[in-house]
Amino acid sequence: MENATILTIKELVNKGRAVTGASSLFSSAASHSSSESSSKNPNSRPGSFDSDLTCKFLAPLSHPAVIVGTISLPSKTLICPNRYCFRFSDGDLTICCDILRFEIRAIGSKICVLSWNFLPMKHCGGFLEIIKWKFMDTGNLLSRCSGIGSFPLFPSLFPSRNGDRKSRYCVHGVLESISPVSVVSCMDGESSDSVNLPGFLVHVMACECKAYSQNAAVGCSHAFEKSAFVYFCGLVVTSWHPAIRKLVGRNVALSGLKKKMIYVRGDSLLVFVTTESSVLHPPCISKKQIVLKTVVDRRGNCGSYLGFVKGVYLKGKLVEMDEDVWLLLTDQILNRSHSIRTGSLICIRNVHFVNTKFSWGEVLILGACFKTSITVEFFSPFETSCLVDSCRQNSLSRFIESLSFPARFWALLVRSCLQKFNGIPSEKEILRSCQKDELTKMYAESQIPSFMFQPRVNWGGSLLSSACMSHVDAIVKLMIAT
């Protein structure tokens, strides 16, 4: 971009206003996405993307400007309520960010952000949405399809202690799903002290070949027919969660793994576990891998959904999508992205489809669970607030999680109605808000029939959903102990 000035993060944060450096992209991107979505979804009305929105567009800069900095994985240097989102630093200041057309090799590399949105946030100064970018130094980088790079999950400053035959296993296949990060209290084998160990599970449809070859992976003639589960274990490896989440649906490989046979409820399960020697081998980028063919990819009662966000309510628990389509994000364990904003185009994978009839109409509920992953395909062009996780879990949230998806949706509508009776203008009204939570719970309990109180729906009866996630504490402790 000729004649563009270099803007610093500090300048954006100090001004404290929502602004975009991508005004030239909005009209083409939004119109293309809207027409594409309407043609793929026969149930959506033409113009449903912006017909009901009254949000104002992000203010454009008066001059072309780029931002130069480095993308990094989550760390404790920047405390974010969403916990697991990318960081962007220009050397002076670090803020949360999200990025389109993500590549693993961008992590730790210096990039030039050509098109972007900036939104101020109280907790960490602001949030950067990276729309178009390029590498600053392309001399030592592999071309996109010259081969597959290798990215150690542990940085080089950590000495490898597991470089033995136990870490010789690899998994190569299509990444089907990723769980949220959970923290398990375990006993440290060396000191016998209790430690909190974070981690997450990945489900891969793998090839049964014994060896992973980078050259073979490029020309991929493998048969990905066997389920494999990989547990990313430890604080350092867990920071890879936002990067691995971006790879859902794509062909990846992991090497340097050890394996554990675990028995839960009398069933055996083979789980691969990351070590200090583990290496991620991401695929080369191709348009075929990132273009979605349909808006709704439905396999029975589960599948994927692509659509625009029309509204975000109740601190992100309830998301309005297309006409009569609602996304429920009621599970406390879900990691939500800041960029799920009104006007953004999102892809929801591994979500439950529940057609529900009420007296006032019929809606399609998209019920998120521990296998659900959400990626933003296009950022919102509007000046709408970022989604920030509320870590507070009260009796109402626990009650809602015990309900079926239709009952959850109804209970959230009741809570929304009660909130509208008296808005909560300040923190002085927190007590009133808690009273409304209890009132919602009491009313819902009196109205919802007993058969609507049930555990969350298991994912196809798989061993991962019925045993792994419901007994993750026991599984992790078994893996650490053996």
Side-chain angles (χ1 to χ4, degrees):
M1 189 179 289
E2 297 181 0
N3 302 321
T5 59
I6 297 179
L7 202 61
T8 65
I9 298 298
K10 191 173 183 178
E11 288 178 279
L12 292 172
V13 172
N14 288 341
K15 289 180 180 179
R17 66 186 186 97
V19 67
T20 179
S23 57
S24 62
L25 297 182
F26 284 153
S27 58
S28 60
S31 60
H32 170 73
S33 304
S34 180
S35 61
E36 184 180 34
S37 177
S38 298
S39 64
K40 292 175 182 176
N41 187 356
N43 296 322
S44 63
R45 297 172 297 176
S48 60
F49 167 57
D50 57 0
S51 59
D52 299 326
L53 293 178
T54 56
C55 306
K56 66 177 182 179
F57 284 90
L58 287 164
L61 287 179
S62 58
H63 60 280
V66 298
I67 304 172
V68 177
T70 304
I71 291 181
S72 60
L73 298 172
S75 65
K76 291 185 177 181
T77 56
L78 180 66
I79 304 300
C80 170
N82 290 27
R83 296 181 296 280
Y84 293 98
C85 52
F86 291 114
R87 311 295 197 238
F88 184 88
S89 175
D90 60 0
D92 292 330
L93 206 59
T94 301
I95 59 174
C96 299
C97 76
D98 197 1
I99 180 171
L100 300 183
R101 299 170 184 84
F102 172 73
E103 298 181 41
I104 290 290
R105 62 190 182 134
I107 296 174
S109 299
K110 197 170 187 179
I111 65 170
C112 178
V113 183
L114 305 172
S115 301
W116 47 271
N117 300 330
F118 174 80
L119 297 113
M121 288 197 302
K122 292 181 179 179
H123 73 274
C124 63
F127 177 63
L128 183 67
E129 294 178 334
I130 301 173
I131 302 172
K132 188 176 180 180
W133 58 278
K134 68 177 183 178
F135 289 104
M136 290 293 290
D137 181 13
T138 58
N140 297 323
L141 293 173
L142 295 171
S143 65
R144 290 191 171 190
C145 291
S146 63
I148 297 181
S150 298
F151 299 89
L153 298 183
F154 273 77
S156 57
L157 56 91
F158 286 85
S160 176
R161 296 178 295 173
N162 288 323
D164 55 12
R165 61 187 184 87
K166 290 185 178 181
S167 304
R168 69 182 187 274
Y169 299 99
C170 61
V171 173
H172 174 212
V174 177
L175 204 161
E176 288 288 311
S177 64
I178 177 174
S179 77
V181 175
S182 59
V183 179
V184 178
S185 180
C186 303
M187 296 299 294
D188 189 345
E190 297 179 359
S191 62
S192 298
D193 294 330
S194 178
V195 294
N196 292 325
L197 193 65
F200 61 91
L201 276 168
V202 167
H203 179 204
V204 179
M205 290 303 296
C207 179
E208 294 191 75
C209 60
K210 294 184 178 180
Y212 168 70
S213 167
Q214 292 186 4
N215 295 329
V218 175
C220 191
S221 58
H222 297 271
F224 303 121
E225 300 173 345
K226 183 178 177 62
S227 285
F229 303 113
V230 182
Y231 187 76
F232 285 67
C233 183
L235 184 62
V236 175
V237 176
T238 303
S239 66
W240 280 87
H241 190 271
I244 303 298
R245 188 174 64 236
K246 292 275 190 182
L247 302 179
V248 172
R250 293 171 57 188
N251 179 1
V252 299
L254 289 158
S255 61
L257 305 173
K258 61 182 179 181
K259 63 179 181 180
K260 300 285 186 181
M261 184 65 73
I262 299 167
Y263 297 89
V264 180
R265 290 182 179 176
D267 294 318
S268 62
L269 177 69
L270 178 64
V271 178
F272 294 90
V273 185
T274 58
T275 69
E276 288 91 337
S277 304
S278 296
V279 176
L280 170 66
H281 308 273
C284 65
I285 305 298
S286 68
K287 292 183 179 180
K288 187 179 295 185
Q289 291 173 313
I290 61 177
V291 174
L292 295 170
K293 294 181 180 180
T294 58
V295 163
V296 180
D297 177 17
R298 192 163 180 171
R299 302 178 298 279
N301 293 325
C302 306
S304 303
Y305 190 93
L306 177 70
F308 285 101
V309 174
K310 296 181 68 176
V312 181
Y313 310 100
L314 298 175
K315 297 181 179 179
K317 291 183 176 64
L318 193 60
V319 180
E320 183 181 6
M321 301 296 294
D322 300 305
E323 182 182 10
D324 299 327
V325 180
W326 292 81
L327 170 64
L328 297 186
L329 298 175
T330 50
D331 284 348
Q332 292 294 313
I333 59 174
L334 290 174
N335 302 126
R336 302 169 178 87
S337 171
H338 293 305
S339 50
I340 300 177
R341 305 189 291 118
T342 300
S344 60
L345 178 68
I346 63 175
C347 178
I348 314 159
R349 294 178 174 87
N350 301 318
V351 69
H352 297 270
F353 291 88
V354 185
N355 288 300
T356 307
K357 289 184 178 180
F358 294 97
S359 59
W360 42 266
E362 184 175 351
V363 298
L364 172 61
I365 296 175
L366 306 177
C369 66
F370 62 87
K371 294 186 72 173
T372 302
S373 60
I374 304 174
T375 55
V376 178
E377 302 298 320
F378 286 105
F379 295 129
S380 171
F382 301 115
E383 189 178 331
T384 53
S385 59
C386 293
L387 180 59
V388 178
D389 260 344
S390 175
C391 299
R392 183 175 65 92
Q393 188 175 20
N394 53 26
S395 59
L396 176 62
S397 60
R398 289 189 292 269
F399 166 74
I400 288 177
E401 286 187 20
S402 70
L403 302 174
S404 63
F405 288 123
R408 293 186 191 191
F409 179 70
W410 182 86
L412 289 174
L413 291 182
V414 171
R415 179 63 180 88
S416 179
C417 290
L418 290 175
Q419 184 168 304
K420 288 181 179 179
F421 287 156
N422 267 320
I424 304 174
S426 68
E427 294 182 0
K428 294 180 181 179
E429 301 296 330
I430 291 179
L431 179 59
R432 185 182 300 175
S433 175
C434 294
Q435 291 172 346
K436 290 176 183 177
D437 285 347
E438 291 302 319
L439 182 59
T440 302
K441 182 174 179 292
M442 291 170 57
Y443 179 73
E445 285 178 327
S446 66
Q447 297 295 317
I448 297 176
S450 58
F451 68 86
M452 301 298 280
F453 290 83
Q454 58 187 26
R456 68 189 68 181
V457 181
N458 284 335
W459 187 273
S462 70
L463 189 59
L464 176 64
S465 58
S466 62
C468 276
M469 294 308 296
S470 59
H471 293 81
V472 66
D473 284 36
I475 289 175
V476 174
K477 290 175 182 177
L478 282 170
M479 289 189 295
I480 298 302
T482 56

